[in-house]
DNA sequence: TTTGTGACCGTAA
DNA sequence: ATTACGGCCACAA
């Protein structure tokens, strides 16, 4: 899978996250057809930030923590955006059990794995 | 060409 | 709840 297309797939997946929900880097990687390549999602978002608007703030680590260091400008902006969508951020982290996005396709993949 | 570095993740201790 | 480790891989030095 070509790099450019992978980036496009990632951006497409991120755009599917509904307002008021969050997804993990790994989850997005899975949905983009790039299992095990969560780090590439971060890279793709870094690039996308300079291009078109993407709901990058809805992507967090698998454990719910923001990928940016607590207190950093980026972390503050992400927290601000999440809170404005109704998602509380406590100690630089959101409660995945409550806010995690569960698309049908992802549920299927999850069932096949376990 | 090799090496270090991440907007990461699952597992194990 | 944390920390450590191995896997992951594009990128830059």
């Amino acid at each position: 899978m070509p790099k450019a297309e992978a980036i496009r797939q990632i951006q497409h997946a991120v755009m599917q996250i509904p307002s008021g929900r969050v997804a993990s880097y790994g989850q997005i990687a899975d949905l983009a057809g790039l299992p095990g390549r969560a780090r590439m999602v971060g890279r793709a978002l870094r690039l996308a930030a300079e291009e078109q608007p993407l709901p990058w703030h809805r992507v967090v680590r698998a454990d719910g923590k923001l990928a940016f260091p607590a207190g950093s400008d980026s972390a503050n902006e992400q927290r601000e955006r999440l809170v404005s969508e109704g998602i509380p951020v406590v100690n630089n982290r959101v409660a995945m059990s409550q806010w995690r996005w569960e698309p049908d396709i992802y549920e299927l993949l999850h069932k096949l794995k376990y």
Side-chain angles (χ1 to χ4, degrees), chain A residues 13 22 25 58 61 63 92 98:
Chain A
V22 295
Y25 292 87
R58 298 181 188 143
R61 288 187 177 167
D63 64 2
N92 209 51
Q98 167 161 28

Side-chain angles (χ1 to χ4, degrees), chain A residues 2 15 20 24-25 28 33 38 44 47 49 53 55 61 67 73 75 77 79-80 91 95-96 99-101 103 111:
Chain A
M15 290 190 284
S24 74
Y25 292 87
I28 293 302
L47 297 177
R61 288 187 177 167
D73 290 345
E77 182 179 351
R79 174 176 49 70
E80 215 174 291
N91 292 327
M96 291 305 270
W99 305 106
R100 179 182 163 88
W101 174 45
K111 287 178 182 175

Side-chain angles (χ1 to χ4, degrees), chain A residues 54-75:
Chain A
L54 212 60
W56 57 270
H57 58 286
R58 298 181 188 143
V59 184
V60 301
R61 288 187 177 167
D63 64 2
K65 286 195 293 186
L66 306 193
F68 301 108
S72 65
D73 290 345
S74 296

Side-chain angles (χ1 to χ4, degrees), chain A residues 95-107:
Chain A
M96 291 305 270
S97 58
Q98 167 161 28
W99 305 106
R100 179 182 163 88
W101 174 45
E102 303 277 4
D104 297 324
I105 298 174
Y106 196 74
E107 286 182 358

